[in-house]
Amino acid sequence: MIWNTMMGTSILSIPWAVKQAGFTTGICIILLMGLLTLYCCYRVVKSRTMISSLDTTNWEFPDVCKHYFGSFGQWSGLLFSLVSLIGAMIVYWVLMSNFLFNTGKFIFNFVHHVNITDDILSTNGSNPVICPEAGGGSQPDNHTMEVFSTNNTDFQQFEKWWNKSRTVPFYLVGLLLPLLNFKSPSFFAKFNILGTVSVLYLVFFVTWKTIQLGFHLEFHWFISTEFFVPEIRIHFPQLTGVLTLAFFIHNCVITLLKNNKNQENNVRDLSIAYFLVMLTYLYIGILVFASFPSPPLSKECIEQNFLDNFPSSDILSFIGRIFLLFQMMTVYPLLGYLARVQLLGFIFGNAYPSIFHVLVFNLIIVGAGVSMACFYPNIGGIIRYSGAACGLAFVFIYPSLIHIISLYNEERLTWPTLLVHAFIIILGIANLVAQFFM
């Protein structure tokens, strides 16, 4: 359950983030961030048991924050929780627009018997990999040359009404906005299995493509070449920002572990889940980076969504986009429900005060998603900024401060413990600040 919940949109950006850090540095950072976030998550799980004077059986982590920090802890916890939820919803909208665009393009080309020749750098052969960045930006719209067996007017109309940044993001509004207004998310919760299926398919997809493409690696520690990036890069904070959200489950881990029949196994199960997530991220990140064909392309071409490195005509990537599109369309209303419950429930004491309140709230969230899909469709940037922001509170500061305060109250605080947890807090602050300079 924890593995399934934690595996989200970040998995698509892991190879790009590894490229930004450098291959060897990226592997080390994934391992270190996994262990660090696991420890902080362990501190969250143990935070309730440190309060011996009250019955904390039904408490969630925001309740613990309120106990230690008062109304400030409650408000700030709500704020950072909303940052993580709304940030994830924006990323989902950008990705759904991407997947819907490529799916429609594949169907149109198939129906009209269109042969595609990309005007961007690509490899030759039966398993092409493309470099969209070389075609005019990291998020190309319709930059392809089409060879037709039908009237060219059909293609011009298609290009006009099926554009990745100008039309497709708006088409999703009519489909998803009504779903956000449901009072209960129970219908969409039944489709959680799609998340597991999607991740397993991505693992299969990456494995199969790696077998076809082979490994393309050269190790240059500090100097980049025409086709390879150095092993150590100053852009590594971009990976730590992405990983903060990729390993983020701290605001709901107590709720998830409540369902454990044997509560004494919570730490063991949490550790196993984090190990599996680390293994999945390492597997995807290493194989996509290592198999990316350089030469003839450069490793710099690895996209923020690695599926963008495969043309819309690729059947396996088409299937992957279909899986992910349907999975995200079922998860998106769940995220909207959680955001609505937290904000409207806190303000009005009711998660559904009226259809007007809910509609205005949903329009704001949907508007943010559409705006980002149109003007800033960079999922890696959105993930790392929102991840570093929400992680500052829930991953680094609150768990460490609560542990320090509880030990101090029990007169068991030692200097080594204080210094270690102060260092964790400093790392969280540095992680957020570095996102604006890298």
Side-chain angles (χ1 to χ4, degrees):
M1 174 64 76
I2 296 177
W3 174 83
N4 186 34
T5 304
M6 208 184 309
M7 298 300 300
T9 56
S10 302
I11 192 172
L12 297 172
S13 294
I14 292 295
W16 166 81
V18 168
K19 174 203 70 176
Q20 296 299 94
F23 184 58
T24 303
T25 306
I27 293 173
C28 295
I29 289 177
I30 291 175
L31 292 171
L32 291 175
M33 282 294 293
L35 293 173
L36 177 59
T37 51
L38 169 59
Y39 173 74
C40 293
C41 199
Y42 165 76
R43 292 264 58 96
V44 170
V45 173
K46 290 294 183 181
S47 62
R48 292 187 307 164
T49 63
M50 304 296 285
I51 306 173
S52 57
S53 58
L54 299 171
D55 180 15
T56 61
T57 306
N58 297 318
W59 282 27
E60 306 292 343
F61 190 58
D63 298 315
V64 179
C65 293
K66 183 180 180 181
H67 172 78
Y68 282 99
F69 308 116
S71 59
F72 172 79
Q74 189 177 25
W75 271 101
S76 58
L78 172 66
L79 174 63
F80 287 111
S81 182
L82 287 173
V83 167
S84 65
L85 288 171
I86 296 176
M89 293 180 74
I90 290 174
V91 172
Y92 270 49
W93 201 278
V94 174
L95 286 173
M96 286 187 294
S97 301
N98 180 305
F99 298 150
L100 183 59
F101 168 77
N102 282 287
T103 300
K105 190 174 180 181
F106 176 92
I107 295 172
F108 177 87
N109 292 337
F110 180 79
V111 170
H112 290 81
H113 308 289
V114 178
N115 295 319
I116 304 174
T117 303
D118 291 279
D119 69 348
I120 48 187
L121 290 179
S122 64
T123 58
N124 297 319
S126 59
N127 301 295
V129 177
I130 63 176
C131 184
E133 204 169 76
S138 60
Q139 296 291 336
D141 286 342
N142 297 24
H143 300 300
T144 53
M145 295 175 59
E146 314 287 345
V147 182
F148 289 90
S149 60
T150 59
N151 196 321
N152 194 48
T153 304
D154 294 335
F155 172 67
Q156 292 175 348
Q157 288 297 316
F158 178 75
E159 290 280 275
K160 177 181 178 181
W161 296 105
W162 198 257
N163 187 282
K164 184 188 290 187
S165 62
R166 291 193 291 270
T167 60
V168 173
F170 293 94
Y171 296 154
L172 289 170
V173 176
L175 181 63
L176 293 174
L177 183 58
L179 300 181
L180 287 174
N181 297 315
F182 280 27
K183 287 188 176 182
S184 171
S186 57
F187 173 76
F188 304 102
K190 298 176 182 178
F191 294 92
N192 271 347
I193 187 64
L194 285 175
T196 303
V197 174
S198 299
V199 173
L200 292 178
Y201 181 81
L202 283 179
V203 171
F204 159 76
F205 174 81
V206 169
T207 304
W208 183 252
K209 289 296 182 181
T210 301
I211 293 172
Q212 293 179 324
L213 296 170
F215 288 111
H216 303 267
L217 284 174
E218 285 184 15
F219 297 96
H220 304 274
W221 287 98
F222 300 104
I223 301 175
S224 62
T225 65
E226 181 180 0
F227 301 111
F228 295 91
V229 297
E231 299 302 296
I232 300 175
R233 305 185 76 183
I234 61 172
H235 301 295
F236 71 88
Q238 295 184 10
L239 175 57
T240 62
V242 169
L243 289 175
T244 307
L245 191 62
F247 286 116
F248 183 72
I249 199 174
H250 301 64
N251 61 339
C252 60
V253 66
I254 292 177
T255 304
L256 293 174
L257 290 176
K258 279 182 180 178
N259 298 321
N260 258 9
K261 183 178 180 181
N262 300 313
Q263 290 294 304
E264 65 274 10
N265 295 331
N266 281 350
V267 175
R268 181 203 66 186
D269 295 344
L270 183 67
S271 302
I272 292 174
Y274 262 87
F275 172 77
L276 292 175
V277 172
M278 274 192 286
L279 189 63
T280 306
Y281 288 154
L282 283 170
Y283 188 83
I284 297 292
I286 289 173
L287 288 192
V288 172
F289 184 94
S291 65
F292 193 82
S294 49
L297 304 181
S298 168
K299 297 290 186 183
E300 290 285 3
C301 291
I302 297 175
E303 287 290 294
Q304 294 183 14
N305 169 8
F306 75 82
L307 289 178
D308 284 341
N309 286 117
F310 299 93
S312 58
S313 58
D314 183 87
I315 185 65
L316 289 180
S317 61
F318 166 74
I319 295 173
R321 290 179 179 115
I322 287 287
F323 268 124
L324 288 166
L325 178 61
F326 280 104
Q327 183 246 338
M328 291 180 183
M329 288 174 63
T330 59
V331 173
Y332 187 84
L334 289 174
L335 295 175
Y337 173 80
L338 293 174
R340 187 178 80 215
V341 166
Q342 291 190 13
L343 183 61
L344 299 188
F346 182 81
I347 297 175
F348 301 103
N350 184 351
Y352 207 98
S354 73
I355 183 63
F356 174 77
H357 291 85
V358 173
L359 184 59
V360 170
F361 176 74
N362 291 335
L363 283 172
I364 293 173
I365 291 180
V366 168
V370 172
S371 299
M372 297 299 275
C374 292
F375 302 110
Y376 188 76
N378 301 310
I379 62 168
I382 301 170
I383 289 173
R384 67 188 182 96
Y385 285 120
S386 59
C390 67
L392 177 65
F394 283 108
V395 178
F396 299 103
I397 293 183
Y398 287 162
S400 297
L401 275 183
I402 288 172
H403 186 57
I404 291 172
I405 294 172
S406 60
L407 290 179
Y408 177 79
N409 291 337
E410 297 174 3
E411 298 182 351
R412 294 193 295 120
L413 181 63
T414 61
W415 277 107
T417 301
L418 176 63
L419 292 175
V420 167
H421 290 85
F423 180 67
I424 291 175
I425 293 173
I426 293 172
L427 285 178
I429 297 173
N431 183 40
L432 177 59
V433 172
Q435 304 309 315
F436 297 94
F437 297 96
M438 296 297 175

